[in-house]
Each structure stands twice: as structure tokens, then as C-alpha cells.
Amino acid sequence: MSGYLPKLWPPPRIIVVNGLRATWILVVLWYEIYAFDHVLHACQWPDIHQPNAPDSRIGRVLVVADPQIIDHRSYPGRGFLLKALGQFIIDLNLRRSWRSTISRLQPHAVVFLGDLMDNGRASMSNIEYNAYAARFFDIFKIRDNTATFFLPGNHDIGLGETASFSLQAGERYTSYFGRRNDKISVGNHTLLFVDSIALVEEDVIRADRGYSYDNWPAVTGGTVDFVKRFAAHEHANPIVLFTHIPLARPLGTDCGPLRERGTIRQGRGFGYQNTLSDEASQFLLGLLRPSLILSGDDHDYCEYSHPLPLLSLSSSTTAREVTVKSFSMAMGIRRPGFQLLSLTSSIPSFEALTQLPNSPPSPLDTPCFLPDQLGIYLTVYVPFILLSLLSLLAFNIHRIRTRNNKRQLRRSEVPPRSSYPDHSASRATSTNELSRRPLGRSNTEDTDEDPLPPPVTKLAKPARSSKLRARLSSCSWVFYLLGRQRRIEVLLPCSRVDHGMHEVGLLRGFLSDVLDVAWPPVLVFCVAAWWTMHF
């Protein structure tokens, strides 16, 4: 009996479908959740290399540039569905990036370098703007004990005069994000936030009227007035300057190895200006003499040292500017990022040897990069989708060919009608013998003759083979031992589409397999997205 028992093994479809399901679930979990924490694991505050500086004397500032959350105006050439899908994917990426960043690094303060919303400058109702700003704060949730500072960008309040920009943009920005020019002290450093959008507009008026910055009657409450009032007082602490628009630099200046492509060039267009003018840049450098400049707007990383006029032997000769990467995946770069700034109130002993006498401590900063979400879609998801589709298509083509071969084999194994036993003679003999029996005589009284055989109602199939055969019946495997009058039935779990799978065509079977493979990872993705948006 043991020689006739089959090896019980799931059908090939279960192996293919469940294997693809499990692989897809692992891929989604890794690239949608764990990849962010894995990438940020290498991101550390620059002060960790300063063992002599206690944590209580360090100010840790997270600097974010150009999140620029989109709305329905961002891509006017796209249809409604593509706009909605794009906004969902970008918002989801921003939420995951921010959640991983803020929970892992836990900064003391956060600075946004402008372009908070892609169309904050657009004409819209107050209700729509309120919902737009509320969406920004819902994405970038910040703990109550974390100080937050905002700079205006050209996408927030508009640059220049045009009918498409709202006259209320500046007022709306101030009501939600605070003052456009500000200063604070952190870790024995002065953080100076300047409204570079207003500076550009005032600089154009100054240049048209032929004034220099020394004799220009600054607009009251404007950026020039703010900078002059600040510089009029002597400041012992080093200054860290924050501006949305980068400062001017020579044409073709190299931005360093961390930049993805190109460089920052001077230029202007509808609602934007790539850099401040040479005069405005020298105005800020000459009056403020910052130790570090952090700017945004360009979306890509750039590092450049501006020369400073030499005032004394102990003064610095350069001011280093870092243009911070955009935090969004939708700003034309593959690796979004941010900047970490550590402000120490004392100089460690090993660094004091390299500092000039009585020089202030230098701020420490380092860039951090986020996952290449677009690269994940193009180099992981798209190829794996194609591989999954090809695998399922190949399996279904093999299934159709196997089914056709079995049908041809059955036709070739059907015996001719002459091989069936002839029961007509036995029926005739039985009828004659029955007619010769006397009336009234029962079968039991006739002890000399054999009783009649049972009537034949169905022809028995000939025993064509003693080999084991099996067929799929609903969700069970039924095994027959033909020729031995034995039947074995084993119940095995099967998929929803296994019932009748051998009877369906190529297209229907392929689409059913695609649906069976797709829904578990899609469900995992939706649950992960829901968790990201609500927790």
C-alpha cells in the first residue's frame, strides 16, 4: 500500500503566489518604513565628537529648507487623479521623513528656511489658506518644548508684483509663522533670521534710485532697517545668519562633492531670484560678519566661503555659507536632506590649540540625507512589478500547456469499443431461462438452479492502469487506485482561485493571480500609510 501513496505537496500555483506575496510584503515594509530609520542611523549631531562639551551647554538646531508642500495648483498640466495621487505620495514621504528625523534626533530648536508651501503666495480664500497652513503643521508636528522659527520664501509671500500673487500673502504668513525678521541667542551664539524676499525688493528700489547702502533711507521695519539696527550694537557672540535666498558668488563657483548637479548661478525670473545681488550680499557680510550662513531656495546642497574684509589680526577672513538641501522628494533632487547645527558655548581643549587668541567658538554643522524615494520607485518597485508579472504570466502559460497535454493524453488512452465486454448474450440467456420457469414457482423453491444475476444498470469501466491518479476537487485532493478499487481522499488548504483553476483560460487565470499577489502588500502599504498619517 505504501508504494502507491503520493507525495503530498502544494500545487505550483501556491508556491508562486505565496512566494511573491511574502517577498512583496518584505519589500514594502523595508522601503516604506525601516529604510528611513536605517538611513538616518548614520546621521549624528556634530557635537558628539566633542567629548569635553557637556550636553547642557550645547544648542542643537535642526535646519530644514524648502519643504514646499504642494496643492492642486502645483502641476497645472496634470489631471485630477494624478494631482491627488502625487500630493498623497509627496505628503506621505514628508510625514515619514519628518517623523523619523524628529523622533531620532530630538533637536532643541527647528529652523525652516522658507518655501514652506508651494503656493502660499497664490490668491485664495481665507478658508483655503487656513486649510493649507493647517496641513503644513499637521505634516510637521513639533513637540511643545521645541522652539521653532520660520523664514519667508518666495513661494510663501511672493517676490515682485504680479496679479497672480495675493496682496494678503505677507499678512497671512505673519499670522501663522511669526515675524519675518528675528533674532535669538542659543549656546552663546546669536541666530539672525533675515527676510531676504523683502531685502531683494528693497534692493531693486535702492539700485533704481542710485543710492548706496550707506546713504539709503531704509524702509522702516524692513530688512535693511533691521540689519542696520542690529549692527549698531556691539555683539560679543558669533552670529549665524539664516536667509532663504543664497548670497552672491562668482560665476561657476564649485559647490563641493555633495551637490548632485550643476552650481548656483545668478539669475531671476517670474517670482524668483537665484541669489542676492552683489551689493546686498556685501551689505550683509560687511555689517554682520557671520561665522556661518545657512540658506535655502536652491534645493540642492552647496558650500562656499565668502571673503570678509580684514578688520584685525584676530578677526575671521571668510564666512562659510551652506545652502541646505530641500526636505522634499518633489524638488528635482534624488536625495532630500537637512542640516544639523550644534552651537557650543565652550571650546574643547583639542580645538583650542587651533583657534586664535580670544576667538569665539565656531558653530558645528553637518548635512544629513534622506532615502532616495524616487529611486526606490524606479529601481525597486517598477522592476519588481515587471518581474512579478512575468513570473505569473510564465506560470499561467505553463499551466495552459500542461492542461492541453493532459487532454491529448486522455484522448489517446481511451480504448476502442470492441475492448468492452459483451453483455448482450448473458442478458438473452437470462431472459430465456426466466421464460422457461413454471408460473407460481419462486426462486427459493428452485434449489437446483442458480438465481439470476443482478441487473446491470451501468457498464463498468475497464481497468486501464494500476497507476495512481489524482484530480483536484474543490479544495481537496482525491486519489484513485484504478484496478484495485481503492479511493483515498486528502483535504488540503487551497487558495480562493484554486477552485477550477485548471479550467480557466490564460487571461482570467493571469489576472486572478495578479489580484491574489497584489492585495496583501497593498494592504500592508495602506496600513503603514494610515499609521504614518495618524500617529
Side-chain angles (χ1 to χ4, degrees):
M1 179 66 183
S2 60
Y4 297 98
L5 289 177
K7 293 182 179 179
L8 302 181
W9 188 257
R13 179 184 177 277
I14 294 181
I15 300 176
V16 174
V17 171
N18 288 343
L20 289 175
R21 280 177 180 173
T23 307
W24 263 112
I25 290 174
L26 292 177
V27 168
V28 170
L29 287 176
W30 175 258
Y31 286 105
E32 296 299 323
I33 298 179
Y34 300 110
F36 291 85
D37 294 330
H38 176 73
V39 170
L40 290 175
H41 182 74
C43 182
Q44 297 177 334
W45 291 100
D47 60 79
I48 65 169
H49 303 296
Q50 309 281 328
N52 296 330
D55 290 341
S56 59
R57 306 179 70 181
I58 295 176
R60 292 176 170 176
V61 182
L62 170 64
V63 184
V64 178
D66 305 283
Q68 209 160 323
I69 63 173
I70 67 172
D71 68 347
H72 63 278
R73 301 175 183 84
S74 299
Y75 302 102
R78 296 183 182 180
F80 172 77
L81 292 179
L82 283 179
K83 287 182 180 180
L85 179 61
Q87 180 175 315
F88 171 77
I89 292 176
I90 294 171
D91 282 9
L92 184 62
N93 177 263
L94 287 172
R95 290 177 187 273
R96 285 174 175 161
S97 299
W98 179 252
R99 179 181 178 182
S100 300
T101 300
I102 203 72
S103 61
R104 176 173 179 79
L105 297 174
Q106 299 181 358
H108 300 145
V110 179
V111 176
F112 288 89
L113 292 176
D115 279 358
L116 313 177
M117 301 180 291
D118 191 36
N119 288 289
R121 63 189 179 183
S123 297
M124 64 184 75
S125 65
N126 290 334
I127 296 177
E128 185 178 359
Y129 188 89
N130 295 342
Y132 203 176
R135 190 167 129 240
F136 172 86
F137 286 107
D138 184 63
I139 293 174
F140 295 96
K141 296 177 181 178
I142 302 174
R143 298 175 300 175
D144 295 336
N145 60 344
T146 303
T148 309
F149 305 93
F150 301 94
L151 283 175
N154 54 300
H155 282 265
D156 299 316
I157 60 177
L159 177 60
E161 296 182 359
T162 177
S164 61
F165 297 163
S166 173
L167 297 177
Q168 299 176 311
E171 181 181 351
R172 286 170 171 171
Y173 171 87
T174 304
S175 64
Y176 275 94
F177 303 103
R179 291 180 292 184
R180 295 161 60 171
N181 293 288
D182 203 357
K183 61 182 177 64
I184 62 168
S185 294
V186 177
N188 286 356
H189 288 71
T190 298
L191 308 187
L192 198 66
F193 310 103
V194 298
D195 179 4
S196 57
I197 308 302
L199 177 60
V200 167
E201 294 177 339
E202 189 172 353
D203 182 65
V204 172
I205 299 174
R206 177 204 59 80
D208 291 342
R209 297 181 181 179
Y211 285 89
S212 67
Y213 273 99
D214 293 333
N215 56 14
W216 166 248
V219 177
T220 303
T223 303
V224 177
D225 181 57
F226 172 77
V227 172
K228 285 185 174 181
R229 288 177 181 272
F230 176 83
H233 303 279
E234 186 174 350
H235 300 276
N237 295 337
I239 297 173
V240 180
L241 176 63
F242 295 86
T243 170
H244 175 69
I245 300 178
L247 275 62
R249 70 279 316 275
L251 183 65
T253 300
D254 183 51
C255 285
L258 297 181
R259 188 174 178 87
E260 293 188 14
R261 60 179 181 273
T263 186
I264 297 179
R265 296 184 175 90
Q266 294 189 12
R268 65 177 62 188
F270 176 74
Y272 76 91
Q273 183 167 314
N274 292 337
T275 65
L276 298 177
S277 67
D278 292 333
E279 294 82 3
S281 300
Q282 291 303 316
F283 166 70
L284 295 176
L285 293 171
L287 285 183
L288 301 178
R289 301 186 64 84
S291 299
L292 176 67
I293 305 170
L294 293 172
S295 59
D297 188 59
D298 184 67
H299 301 167
D300 204 351
Y301 188 88
C302 187
E303 197 169 326
Y304 175 72
S305 294
H306 299 274
L308 294 176
L310 185 63
L311 299 181
S312 64
L313 294 177
S314 61
S315 62
S316 301
T317 59
T318 60
R320 177 169 162 267
E321 178 180 357
V322 174
T323 303
V324 182
K325 272 201 163 192
S326 171
F327 198 77
S328 173
M329 61 172 285
M331 295 298 111
I333 54 174
R334 299 297 294 268
R335 294 291 302 274
F338 52 89
Q339 201 79 3
L340 296 182
L341 177 63
S342 294
L343 305 173
T344 59
S345 57
S346 62
I347 305 177
S349 58
F350 67 87
E351 188 175 342
L353 298 176
T354 63
Q355 295 281 350
L356 295 174
N358 301 323
S359 63
S362 299
L364 306 171
D365 67 282
T366 186
C368 290
F369 303 102
L370 295 166
D372 180 8
Q373 188 71 69
L374 183 61
I376 291 173
Y377 290 151
L378 296 179
T379 62
V380 178
Y381 286 169
V382 172
F384 196 42
I385 287 175
L386 296 178
L387 179 62
S388 301
L389 293 176
L390 290 176
S391 299
L392 294 176
L393 181 61
F395 165 75
N396 279 273
I397 292 176
H398 176 72
R399 176 181 59 83
I400 293 298
R401 290 180 176 177
T402 302
R403 183 185 66 181
N404 294 338
N405 292 337
K406 288 183 177 180
R407 287 179 178 176
Q408 293 178 0
L409 182 61
R410 292 194 195 101
R411 294 192 187 102
S412 63
E413 290 181 352
V414 175
R417 296 185 60 86
S418 59
S419 63
Y420 287 88
D422 188 6
H423 300 276
S424 58
S426 61
R427 284 198 298 269
T429 305
S430 301
T431 305
N432 294 334
E433 291 179 354
L434 183 62
S435 62
R436 290 196 297 266
R437 291 178 181 273
L439 294 177
R441 183 175 179 180
S442 63
N443 292 338
T444 57
E445 296 176 357
D446 189 1
T447 58
D448 298 331
E449 299 179 4
D450 295 331
L452 290 175
V456 179
T457 58
K458 184 177 181 181
L459 295 178
K461 290 184 180 180
R464 290 174 289 175
S465 173
S466 61
K467 295 182 179 180
L468 182 67
R469 294 195 168 215
R471 66 179 177 85
L472 184 64
S473 175
S474 186
C475 284
S476 65
W477 285 89
V478 182
F479 300 93
Y480 294 95
L481 277 171
L482 300 180
R484 292 178 176 268
Q485 303 300 323
R486 297 175 184 269
R487 180 176 185 271
I488 303 174
E489 181 173 356
V490 181
L491 296 178
L492 291 177
C494 64
S495 177
R496 177 182 59 82
V497 194
D498 279 343
H499 177 66
M501 178 55 68
H502 292 283
E503 286 75 25
V504 300
L506 175 63
L507 180 60
R508 183 180 175 185
F510 171 71
L511 295 178
S512 298
D513 288 345
V514 170
L515 180 62
D516 268 13
V517 170
W519 73 261
V522 170
L523 179 61
V524 171
F525 178 87
C526 294
V527 171
W530 178 85
W531 180 269
T532 301
M533 290 186 293
H534 292 84
F535 295 94

